[in-house]
Amino acid sequence: MRTFYLFQIKDGVLKNYKNNYEELYNLLESIHYLKTEDIVLGFNIFDKIVSPMDKENVNDYIKKKNLDKESYICYNYTHTINDFYFNETSKMVINNSHIKIKTNKNVPSFFYNIRTFNNIFVCDFINHDYFLLEDSIYSCISA
């Protein structure tokens, strides 16, 4: 199982890290693993680099893209795909600050829905994996 965290990075910040996503990943990872007593500092840094998710619009968009699929279930801001034909089990939760996807795939179906959003930076803190979704998903499609 993989756990992906998707953040919408602010334009100016993304331009600063364009040639070095590793620094952006390390910053987000350090915020992710902050101790409780440092949470205020972490929030201030997080607020400067990450744009809030438009939770309602993202939720509605994902619903519209998947509603006709048999393997799709939605409840509030939690979207689930249990596709036995393609051996995929993915659960996506949309939050105000980020999107979290737990999946058994390296490229879950939800990535193809979200690829139209700008500046989505994907982090897997357990496997130390990170990428800009709009760059990576197109290389997966064309391969």
Side-chain angles (χ1 to χ4, degrees), residues 14-28:
L14 197 60
K15 287 177 187 172
N16 290 339
Y17 290 103
K18 190 69 174 172
N19 297 323
N20 195 355
Y21 291 136
E22 184 177 8
E23 283 185 32
L24 179 58
Y25 169 78
N26 288 334
L27 185 58
L28 289 168

Side-chain angles (χ1 to χ4, degrees), residues 5-109:
Y5 294 87
L6 287 70
F7 304 98
Q8 189 159 26
I9 306 298
K10 293 181 178 179
D11 280 332
V13 173
L14 197 60
K15 287 177 187 172
N16 290 339
Y17 290 103
K18 190 69 174 172
N19 297 323
N20 195 355
Y21 291 136
E22 184 177 8
E23 283 185 32
L24 179 58
Y25 169 78
N26 288 334
L27 185 58
L28 289 168
E29 183 182 41
S30 66
I31 293 169
H32 179 73
Y33 289 117
L34 268 179
K35 295 179 182 170
T36 308
E37 58 266 14
D38 298 327
I39 204 74
V40 173
L41 173 64
F43 176 78
N44 289 335
I45 295 169
F46 185 84
D47 193 44
K48 289 185 182 354
I49 62 174
V50 175
S51 296
M53 288 284 167
D54 189 349
K55 191 174 174 177
E56 293 296 327
N57 285 338
V58 172
N59 194 55
D60 291 343
Y61 181 79
I62 298 298
K63 272 188 204 175
K64 287 177 187 171
K65 285 288 194 181
N66 292 290
L67 210 51
D68 61 334
K69 297 177 183 170
E70 289 179 22
S71 58
Y72 172 76
I73 300 168
C74 176
Y75 180 74
N76 290 333
Y77 299 98
T78 303
H79 304 261
T80 307
I81 292 177
N82 286 313
D83 192 336
F84 299 108
Y85 296 114
F86 293 103
N87 191 29
E88 179 181 3
T89 302
S90 297
K91 179 180 179 181
M92 177 173 68
V93 179
I94 302 169
N95 299 294
N96 290 322
S97 58
H98 68 285
I99 296 172
K100 182 178 178 182
I101 300 175
K102 291 186 89 164
T103 182
N104 65 337
K105 293 286 195 181
N106 286 329
V107 181
S109 299

